[in-house]
Amino acid sequence: MELGNPIDFTGRVAIVTGGTQGVGAVIAEAFLAAGAEVMVCARTTPPALPSSGGRDAAFRPTDVRDPAAAARLVAATAEQFGRLDILVNNAGGSPDADAATVSPRFVEKVVALNLLAPFYMAQAANLVMREQSEGGCVINIGSVSAHTPQPGTAAYSAAKAGLLGLTRALALEWAPKVRVNHITAGPIRTASATGLYGEDDGAAVAGIVPLGRLAVPADVAHACLWLAGPHASYINGADLAVHGGGEIPARDLARRPPGPPSRHLDHLPHHPLSSS
Protein backbone atom coordinates (compact mmCIF):
# COMPACT_ATOMS: atom_id res chain seq x y z
CA MET A 1 0.00 0.00 0.00
CA GLU A 2 1.41 3.39 -1.03
CA LEU A 3 1.07 5.81 1.89
CA GLY A 4 2.31 8.92 0.10
CA ASN A 5 3.97 11.97 1.57
CA PRO A 6 1.57 13.43 4.14
CA ILE A 7 2.92 16.96 3.75
CA ASP A 8 3.24 17.23 -0.02
CA PHE A 9 0.40 19.38 -1.33
CA THR A 10 1.97 20.27 -4.66
CA GLY A 11 -0.79 20.90 -7.16
CA ARG A 12 -3.41 21.33 -4.45
CA VAL A 13 -5.38 24.49 -3.69
CA ALA A 14 -6.54 25.68 -0.28
CA ILE A 15 -8.67 28.51 1.06
CA VAL A 16 -7.99 29.71 4.60
CA THR A 17 -10.59 32.15 5.93
CA GLY A 18 -9.24 34.76 8.31
CA GLY A 19 -5.87 33.74 6.94
CA THR A 20 -4.11 37.10 7.08
CA GLN A 21 -3.20 37.12 10.76
CA GLY A 22 -2.80 34.99 13.86
CA VAL A 23 -3.50 31.28 13.60
CA GLY A 24 -4.95 31.63 10.10
CA ALA A 25 -1.76 33.15 8.70
CA VAL A 26 0.32 30.30 10.12
CA ILE A 27 -2.07 27.73 8.64
CA ALA A 28 -1.76 29.46 5.27
CA GLU A 29 2.05 29.49 5.53
CA ALA A 30 2.08 25.78 6.41
CA PHE A 31 0.12 24.88 3.28
CA LEU A 32 2.33 27.14 1.17
CA ALA A 33 5.44 25.45 2.61
CA ALA A 34 3.92 22.08 1.70
CA GLY A 35 3.54 23.15 -1.93
CA ALA A 36 -0.11 24.20 -2.10
CA GLU A 37 -1.54 27.30 -3.70
CA VAL A 38 -3.37 29.24 -1.00
CA MET A 39 -6.11 31.85 -1.08
CA VAL A 40 -6.70 33.87 2.10
CA CYS A 41 -9.42 36.35 2.86
CA ALA A 42 -10.30 39.07 5.32
CA ARG A 43 -12.56 42.08 5.29
CA THR A 44 -9.61 44.46 4.87
CA THR A 45 -6.39 44.22 2.91
CA PRO A 46 -3.47 43.28 5.19
CA PRO A 47 -0.07 45.05 5.11
CA ALA A 48 1.57 41.74 4.17
CA LEU A 49 0.38 38.32 3.02
CA PRO A 50 1.39 34.92 4.36
CA SER A 51 4.38 33.58 2.46
CA SER A 52 6.79 30.66 2.39
CA GLY A 53 9.67 29.73 0.13
CA GLY A 54 9.30 32.90 -1.88
CA ARG A 55 5.62 32.29 -2.64
CA ASP A 56 2.80 34.46 -1.31
CA ALA A 57 -0.77 33.54 -0.64
CA ALA A 58 -3.37 35.08 -2.93
CA PHE A 59 -5.84 37.45 -1.31
CA ARG A 60 -9.42 38.48 -1.87
CA PRO A 61 -11.28 40.90 0.44
CA THR A 62 -14.35 39.04 1.66
CA ASP A 63 -16.88 39.19 4.46
CA VAL A 64 -17.55 35.47 4.83
CA ARG A 65 -20.74 36.18 6.78
CA ASP A 66 -22.30 37.18 3.44
CA PRO A 67 -23.29 34.01 1.55
CA ALA A 68 -22.97 35.71 -1.84
CA ALA A 69 -19.49 36.98 -0.97
CA ALA A 70 -18.48 33.52 0.25
CA ALA A 71 -19.65 32.01 -3.02
CA ARG A 72 -17.71 34.60 -5.02
CA LEU A 73 -14.54 33.83 -3.05
CA VAL A 74 -14.79 30.13 -3.82
CA ALA A 75 -15.61 30.75 -7.47
CA ALA A 76 -12.72 33.18 -7.86
CA THR A 77 -10.30 30.70 -6.27
CA ALA A 78 -11.42 27.85 -8.50
CA GLU A 79 -11.16 30.10 -11.55
CA GLN A 80 -7.69 31.37 -10.65
CA PHE A 81 -6.16 28.02 -9.77
CA GLY A 82 -8.34 25.58 -11.68
CA ARG A 83 -9.54 23.62 -8.65
CA LEU A 84 -10.20 23.68 -4.89
CA ASP A 85 -9.06 20.86 -2.63
CA ILE A 86 -9.07 22.22 0.91
CA LEU A 87 -11.18 24.71 2.82
CA VAL A 88 -10.07 25.73 6.30
CA ASN A 89 -12.83 27.63 8.08
CA ASN A 90 -10.60 29.49 10.50
CA ALA A 91 -12.30 32.91 10.74
CA GLY A 92 -14.04 33.31 14.07
CA GLY A 93 -13.92 34.82 17.50
CA SER A 94 -15.76 37.00 19.97
CA PRO A 95 -15.03 39.32 22.87
CA ASP A 96 -16.43 38.27 26.23
CA ALA A 97 -19.92 39.55 26.97
CA ASP A 98 -22.47 39.23 29.79
CA ALA A 99 -25.24 36.94 28.58
CA ALA A 100 -27.80 38.76 30.74
CA THR A 101 -27.31 42.09 29.01
CA VAL A 102 -25.76 41.38 25.63
CA SER A 103 -27.63 42.85 22.67
CA PRO A 104 -29.40 40.79 20.01
CA ARG A 105 -27.16 42.40 17.38
CA PHE A 106 -24.04 41.18 19.20
CA VAL A 107 -25.41 37.62 19.39
CA GLU A 108 -26.35 37.65 15.71
CA LYS A 109 -22.89 38.83 14.67
CA VAL A 110 -21.14 36.19 16.79
CA VAL A 111 -23.31 33.39 15.44
CA ALA A 112 -22.93 34.69 11.88
CA LEU A 113 -19.13 34.66 12.04
CA ASN A 114 -18.62 31.43 13.96
CA LEU A 115 -21.40 29.24 12.57
CA LEU A 116 -23.17 30.67 9.54
CA ALA A 117 -20.03 31.79 7.70
CA PRO A 118 -18.43 28.31 7.83
CA PHE A 119 -21.73 26.88 6.58
CA TYR A 120 -21.83 29.29 3.64
CA MET A 121 -18.18 28.68 2.77
CA ALA A 122 -18.58 24.91 2.99
CA GLN A 123 -21.67 24.97 0.77
CA ALA A 124 -19.84 26.86 -1.94
CA ALA A 125 -16.70 24.74 -1.65
CA ASN A 126 -18.68 21.51 -1.87
CA LEU A 127 -20.13 22.54 -5.22
CA VAL A 128 -16.58 22.63 -6.63
CA MET A 129 -15.08 19.69 -4.74
CA ARG A 130 -17.82 17.19 -5.54
CA GLU A 131 -17.17 17.61 -9.26
CA GLN A 132 -13.47 16.76 -8.90
CA SER A 133 -12.31 13.16 -9.26
CA GLU A 134 -10.40 13.40 -5.96
CA GLY A 135 -13.06 15.38 -4.12
CA GLY A 136 -11.82 17.60 -1.33
CA CYS A 137 -11.95 18.30 2.38
CA VAL A 138 -13.28 20.92 4.76
CA ILE A 139 -11.63 21.61 8.13
CA ASN A 140 -13.57 23.64 10.69
CA ILE A 141 -11.51 25.31 13.41
CA GLY A 142 -13.52 25.06 16.60
CA SER A 143 -12.87 25.75 20.26
CA VAL A 144 -12.83 24.07 23.65
CA SER A 145 -15.67 26.49 24.42
CA ALA A 146 -17.95 24.16 22.44
CA HIS A 147 -17.33 21.47 25.06
CA THR A 148 -16.65 23.49 28.22
CA PRO A 149 -18.08 27.02 28.06
CA GLN A 150 -16.52 29.76 30.16
CA PRO A 151 -18.30 32.76 31.72
CA GLY A 152 -18.79 35.52 29.18
CA THR A 153 -18.86 33.21 26.16
CA ALA A 154 -22.51 32.15 25.87
CA ALA A 155 -23.07 33.21 22.25
CA TYR A 156 -19.59 32.11 21.17
CA SER A 157 -19.84 28.74 22.92
CA ALA A 158 -23.27 28.09 21.41
CA ALA A 159 -22.02 28.97 17.93
CA LYS A 160 -18.95 26.75 18.29
CA ALA A 161 -21.08 23.88 19.56
CA GLY A 162 -23.19 24.38 16.47
CA LEU A 163 -20.06 24.27 14.30
CA LEU A 164 -19.19 20.86 15.73
CA GLY A 165 -22.71 19.62 14.99
CA LEU A 166 -22.53 21.08 11.50
CA THR A 167 -19.26 19.26 10.88
CA ARG A 168 -20.78 15.90 11.75
CA ALA A 169 -23.90 16.54 9.69
CA LEU A 170 -21.98 17.61 6.57
CA ALA A 171 -19.61 14.65 6.95
CA LEU A 172 -22.62 12.36 6.67
CA GLU A 173 -24.18 14.17 3.72
CA TRP A 174 -21.15 14.89 1.56
CA ALA A 175 -19.13 11.69 1.83
CA PRO A 176 -17.46 10.05 0.04
CA LYS A 177 -16.35 12.90 -2.25
CA VAL A 178 -15.91 15.57 0.43
CA ARG A 179 -14.57 14.88 3.93
CA VAL A 180 -15.50 17.30 6.71
CA ASN A 181 -13.61 17.39 10.02
CA HIS A 182 -13.29 19.59 13.08
CA ILE A 183 -10.40 20.75 15.27
CA THR A 184 -11.10 21.61 18.89
CA ALA A 185 -8.45 24.23 19.61
CA GLY A 186 -7.49 25.13 23.15
CA PRO A 187 -5.78 28.32 24.32
CA ILE A 188 -3.21 29.39 21.75
CA ARG A 189 -0.30 31.71 22.39
CA THR A 190 0.07 34.50 19.83
CA ALA A 191 1.20 38.10 19.84
CA SER A 192 -1.98 39.09 21.69
CA ALA A 193 -1.57 36.54 24.50
CA THR A 194 -1.15 39.22 27.17
CA GLY A 195 -4.49 40.79 26.32
CA LEU A 196 -6.18 37.40 26.31
CA TYR A 197 -4.58 35.71 29.30
CA GLY A 198 -3.27 38.46 31.59
CA GLU A 199 -0.04 40.21 32.41
CA ASP A 200 1.80 36.93 33.08
CA ASP A 201 1.60 36.31 29.32
CA GLY A 202 -0.42 33.14 29.79
CA ALA A 203 1.85 31.40 32.31
CA ALA A 204 -0.95 30.75 34.80
CA VAL A 205 -3.17 29.32 32.07
CA ALA A 206 -0.34 27.13 30.84
CA GLY A 207 -0.03 25.74 34.37
CA ILE A 208 -3.43 24.04 34.15
CA VAL A 209 -2.74 22.39 30.77
CA PRO A 210 -1.40 18.81 31.18
CA LEU A 211 1.35 19.41 28.59
CA GLY A 212 2.48 22.48 30.53
CA ARG A 213 2.21 25.10 27.80
CA LEU A 214 -0.28 26.90 25.63
CA ALA A 215 -0.54 25.78 22.04
CA VAL A 216 1.24 27.76 19.34
CA PRO A 217 -0.36 28.39 15.95
CA ALA A 218 1.86 25.77 14.33
CA ASP A 219 0.18 23.09 16.47
CA VAL A 220 -3.13 23.85 14.78
CA ALA A 221 -1.51 24.23 11.35
CA HIS A 222 0.14 20.81 11.59
CA ALA A 223 -3.20 19.26 12.55
CA CYS A 224 -4.72 20.85 9.43
CA LEU A 225 -1.96 19.41 7.24
CA TRP A 226 -2.61 15.94 8.62
CA LEU A 227 -6.40 16.13 8.23
CA ALA A 228 -6.04 17.37 4.64
CA GLY A 229 -3.41 14.79 3.69
CA PRO A 230 -3.47 11.18 2.47
CA HIS A 231 -2.85 9.68 5.91
CA ALA A 232 -6.26 10.99 7.00
CA SER A 233 -8.14 9.77 3.94
CA TYR A 234 -10.48 7.66 6.11
CA ILE A 235 -11.03 10.39 8.71
CA ASN A 236 -14.45 11.99 8.30
CA GLY A 237 -16.72 13.67 10.82
CA ALA A 238 -13.94 13.62 13.42
CA ASP A 239 -13.24 16.07 16.23
CA LEU A 240 -9.47 16.33 16.68
CA ALA A 241 -8.53 17.85 20.06
CA VAL A 242 -5.54 20.18 19.86
CA HIS A 243 -5.56 21.37 23.46
CA GLY A 244 -2.65 19.72 25.23
CA GLY A 245 -4.91 17.35 27.16
CA GLY A 246 -7.52 19.88 28.16
CA GLU A 247 -7.50 21.32 31.68
CA ILE A 248 -6.37 19.67 34.89
CA PRO A 249 -9.47 19.42 37.16
CA ALA A 250 -9.72 22.13 39.82
CA ARG A 251 -9.84 19.53 42.63
CA ASP A 252 -6.39 18.30 41.61
CA LEU A 253 -4.98 21.80 41.25
CA ALA A 254 -6.26 22.62 44.75
CA ARG A 255 -4.20 19.75 46.19
CA ARG A 256 -0.97 20.98 44.63
CA PRO A 257 1.55 22.73 46.87
CA PRO A 258 1.89 26.46 46.12
CA GLY A 259 4.62 27.35 43.70
CA PRO A 260 5.45 29.38 40.61
CA PRO A 261 3.24 28.78 37.56
CA SER A 262 4.52 26.81 34.64
CA ARG A 263 6.49 28.91 32.14
CA HIS A 264 6.82 26.43 29.33
CA LEU A 265 5.63 28.97 26.77
CA ASP A 266 6.89 29.16 23.25
CA HIS A 267 6.25 32.16 21.04
CA LEU A 268 3.25 33.29 19.52
CA PRO A 269 -3.51 33.29 20.23
CA HIS A 270 -6.45 31.63 21.68
CA HIS A 271 -8.29 31.15 18.80
CA PRO A 272 -11.01 33.68 19.25
CA LEU A 273 -8.59 36.06 17.69
CA SER A 274 -8.97 35.20 14.03
CA SER A 275 -11.61 37.15 12.17
CA SER A 276 -12.78 37.63 8.65
PDB file of all heavy atoms in Angstrom, residues 58-72:
ATOM      1  N   ALA A  58      -2.492  34.146  -2.228  1.00  0.00           N
ATOM      2  CA  ALA A  58      -3.368  35.082  -2.929  1.00  0.00           C
ATOM      3  C   ALA A  58      -4.354  35.655  -1.917  1.00  0.00           C
ATOM      4  O   ALA A  58      -4.578  35.082  -0.852  1.00  0.00           O
ATOM      5  CB  ALA A  58      -4.107  34.375  -4.059  1.00  0.00           C
ATOM      6  N   PHE A  59      -4.937  36.794  -2.250  1.00  0.00           N
ATOM      7  CA  PHE A  59      -5.838  37.448  -1.306  1.00  0.00           C
ATOM      8  C   PHE A  59      -7.047  38.002  -2.024  1.00  0.00           C
ATOM      9  O   PHE A  59      -6.949  38.528  -3.128  1.00  0.00           O
ATOM     10  CB  PHE A  59      -5.126  38.595  -0.579  1.00  0.00           C
ATOM     11  CG  PHE A  59      -6.047  39.443   0.260  1.00  0.00           C
ATOM     12  CD1 PHE A  59      -6.497  38.989   1.490  1.00  0.00           C
ATOM     13  CD2 PHE A  59      -6.483  40.688  -0.193  1.00  0.00           C
ATOM     14  CE1 PHE A  59      -7.356  39.764   2.264  1.00  0.00           C
ATOM     15  CE2 PHE A  59      -7.335  41.459   0.569  1.00  0.00           C
ATOM     16  CZ  PHE A  59      -7.778  41.001   1.807  1.00  0.00           C
ATOM     17  N   ARG A  60      -8.200  37.875  -1.362  1.00  0.00           N
ATOM     18  CA  ARG A  60      -9.421  38.484  -1.869  1.00  0.00           C
ATOM     19  C   ARG A  60     -10.192  39.041  -0.674  1.00  0.00           C
ATOM     20  O   ARG A  60     -10.497  38.294   0.271  1.00  0.00           O
ATOM     21  CB  ARG A  60     -10.280  37.454  -2.606  1.00  0.00           C
ATOM     22  CG  ARG A  60     -11.541  38.038  -3.234  1.00  0.00           C
ATOM     23  CD  ARG A  60     -12.342  36.982  -3.973  1.00  0.00           C
ATOM     24  NE  ARG A  60     -13.592  37.508  -4.489  1.00  0.00           N
ATOM     25  CZ  ARG A  60     -13.757  38.027  -5.685  1.00  0.00           C
ATOM     26  NH1 ARG A  60     -12.719  38.081  -6.501  1.00  0.00           N
ATOM     27  NH2 ARG A  60     -14.919  38.491  -6.090  1.00  0.00           N
ATOM     28  N   PRO A  61     -10.499  40.354  -0.671  1.00  0.00           N
ATOM     29  CA  PRO A  61     -11.279  40.899   0.440  1.00  0.00           C
ATOM     30  C   PRO A  61     -12.685  40.306   0.450  1.00  0.00           C
ATOM     31  O   PRO A  61     -13.383  40.328  -0.575  1.00  0.00           O
ATOM     32  CB  PRO A  61     -11.303  42.407   0.152  1.00  0.00           C
ATOM     33  CG  PRO A  61     -11.043  42.526  -1.320  1.00  0.00           C
ATOM     34  CD  PRO A  61     -10.169  41.370  -1.688  1.00  0.00           C
ATOM     35  N   THR A  62     -13.076  39.745   1.582  1.00  0.00           N
ATOM     36  CA  THR A  62     -14.353  39.040   1.662  1.00  0.00           C
ATOM     37  C   THR A  62     -14.893  39.096   3.080  1.00  0.00           C
ATOM     38  O   THR A  62     -14.160  38.876   4.044  1.00  0.00           O
ATOM     39  CB  THR A  62     -14.188  37.549   1.281  1.00  0.00           C
ATOM     40  OG1 THR A  62     -13.594  37.446  -0.009  1.00  0.00           O
ATOM     41  CG2 THR A  62     -15.544  36.832   1.271  1.00  0.00           C
ATOM     42  N   ASP A  63     -16.179  39.369   3.191  1.00  0.00           N
ATOM     43  CA  ASP A  63     -16.883  39.189   4.455  1.00  0.00           C
ATOM     44  C   ASP A  63     -17.592  37.844   4.359  1.00  0.00           C
ATOM     45  O   ASP A  63     -18.620  37.717   3.706  1.00  0.00           O
ATOM     46  CB  ASP A  63     -17.888  40.320   4.671  1.00  0.00           C
ATOM     47  CG  ASP A  63     -18.597  40.225   6.023  1.00  0.00           C
ATOM     48  OD1 ASP A  63     -18.505  39.165   6.677  1.00  0.00           O
ATOM     49  OD2 ASP A  63     -19.249  41.210   6.426  1.00  0.00           O
ATOM     50  N   VAL A  64     -17.025  36.831   5.003  1.00  0.00           N
ATOM     51  CA  VAL A  64     -17.546  35.469   4.834  1.00  0.00           C
ATOM     52  C   VAL A  64     -18.899  35.268   5.483  1.00  0.00           C
ATOM     53  O   VAL A  64     -19.538  34.233   5.283  1.00  0.00           O
ATOM     54  CB  VAL A  64     -16.540  34.425   5.365  1.00  0.00           C
ATOM     55  CG1 VAL A  64     -15.300  34.389   4.488  1.00  0.00           C
ATOM     56  CG2 VAL A  64     -16.157  34.706   6.814  1.00  0.00           C
ATOM     57  N   ARG A  65     -19.381  36.264   6.227  1.00  0.00           N
ATOM     58  CA  ARG A  65     -20.738  36.175   6.780  1.00  0.00           C
ATOM     59  C   ARG A  65     -21.794  36.401   5.709  1.00  0.00           C
ATOM     60  O   ARG A  65     -22.978  36.094   5.927  1.00  0.00           O
ATOM     61  CB  ARG A  65     -20.901  37.205   7.904  1.00  0.00           C
ATOM     62  CG  ARG A  65     -19.963  36.996   9.088  1.00  0.00           C
ATOM     63  CD  ARG A  65     -19.991  38.164  10.042  1.00  0.00           C
ATOM     64  NE  ARG A  65     -19.557  39.398   9.388  1.00  0.00           N
ATOM     65  CZ  ARG A  65     -19.455  40.567  10.002  1.00  0.00           C
ATOM     66  NH1 ARG A  65     -19.766  40.664  11.286  1.00  0.00           N
ATOM     67  NH2 ARG A  65     -19.041  41.633   9.358  1.00  0.00           N
ATOM     68  N   ASP A  66     -21.393  36.918   4.569  1.00  0.00           N
ATOM     69  CA  ASP A  66     -22.295  37.176   3.442  1.00  0.00           C
ATOM     70  C   ASP A  66     -22.238  35.967   2.508  1.00  0.00           C
ATOM     71  O   ASP A  66     -21.200  35.686   1.915  1.00  0.00           O
ATOM     72  CB  ASP A  66     -21.826  38.435   2.715  1.00  0.00           C
ATOM     73  CG  ASP A  66     -22.666  38.777   1.498  1.00  0.00           C
ATOM     74  OD1 ASP A  66     -23.493  37.938   1.066  1.00  0.00           O
ATOM     75  OD2 ASP A  66     -22.482  39.874   0.954  1.00  0.00           O
ATOM     76  N   PRO A  67     -23.339  35.227   2.372  1.00  0.00           N
ATOM     77  CA  PRO A  67     -23.291  34.014   1.550  1.00  0.00           C
ATOM     78  C   PRO A  67     -22.906  34.277   0.098  1.00  0.00           C
ATOM     79  O   PRO A  67     -22.212  33.464  -0.519  1.00  0.00           O
ATOM     80  CB  PRO A  67     -24.699  33.425   1.662  1.00  0.00           C
ATOM     81  CG  PRO A  67     -25.557  34.533   2.185  1.00  0.00           C
ATOM     82  CD  PRO A  67     -24.665  35.413   2.998  1.00  0.00           C
ATOM     83  N   ALA A  68     -23.335  35.390  -0.454  1.00  0.00           N
ATOM     84  CA  ALA A  68     -22.971  35.707  -1.837  1.00  0.00           C
ATOM     85  C   ALA A  68     -21.479  35.989  -1.945  1.00  0.00           C
ATOM     86  O   ALA A  68     -20.816  35.566  -2.904  1.00  0.00           O
ATOM     87  CB  ALA A  68     -23.783  36.900  -2.333  1.00  0.00           C
ATOM     88  N   ALA A  69     -20.927  36.692  -0.960  1.00  0.00           N
ATOM     89  CA  ALA A  69     -19.492  36.979  -0.969  1.00  0.00           C
ATOM     90  C   ALA A  69     -18.692  35.693  -0.792  1.00  0.00           C
ATOM     91  O   ALA A  69     -17.643  35.517  -1.421  1.00  0.00           O
ATOM     92  CB  ALA A  69     -19.156  37.972   0.139  1.00  0.00           C
ATOM     93  N   ALA A  70     -19.162  34.807   0.060  1.00  0.00           N
ATOM     94  CA  ALA A  70     -18.484  33.523   0.254  1.00  0.00           C
ATOM     95  C   ALA A  70     -18.459  32.725  -1.051  1.00  0.00           C
ATOM     96  O   ALA A  70     -17.431  32.145  -1.425  1.00  0.00           O
ATOM     97  CB  ALA A  70     -19.180  32.728   1.350  1.00  0.00           C
ATOM     98  N   ALA A  71     -19.587  32.726  -1.755  1.00  0.00           N
ATOM     99  CA  ALA A  71     -19.655  32.006  -3.025  1.00  0.00           C
ATOM    100  C   ALA A  71     -18.716  32.616  -4.056  1.00  0.00           C
ATOM    101  O   ALA A  71     -18.069  31.894  -4.833  1.00  0.00           O
ATOM    102  CB  ALA A  71     -21.092  31.999  -3.541  1.00  0.00           C
ATOM    103  N   ARG A  72     -18.616  33.942  -4.071  1.00  0.00           N
ATOM    104  CA  ARG A  72     -17.713  34.600  -5.020  1.00  0.00           C
ATOM    105  C   ARG A  72     -16.258  34.268  -4.714  1.00  0.00           C
ATOM    106  O   ARG A  72     -15.435  34.091  -5.627  1.00  0.00           O
ATOM    107  CB  ARG A  72     -17.931  36.119  -4.997  1.00  0.00           C
ATOM    108  CG  ARG A  72     -19.236  36.568  -5.632  1.00  0.00           C
ATOM    109  CD  ARG A  72     -19.252  38.071  -5.872  1.00  0.00           C
ATOM    110  NE  ARG A  72     -19.204  38.826  -4.623  1.00  0.00           N
ATOM    111  CZ  ARG A  72     -20.276  39.218  -3.948  1.00  0.00           C
ATOM    112  NH1 ARG A  72     -21.487  38.933  -4.397  1.00  0.00           N
ATOM    113  NH2 ARG A  72     -20.147  39.934  -2.825  1.00  0.00           N
TER     114      ARG A  72
END
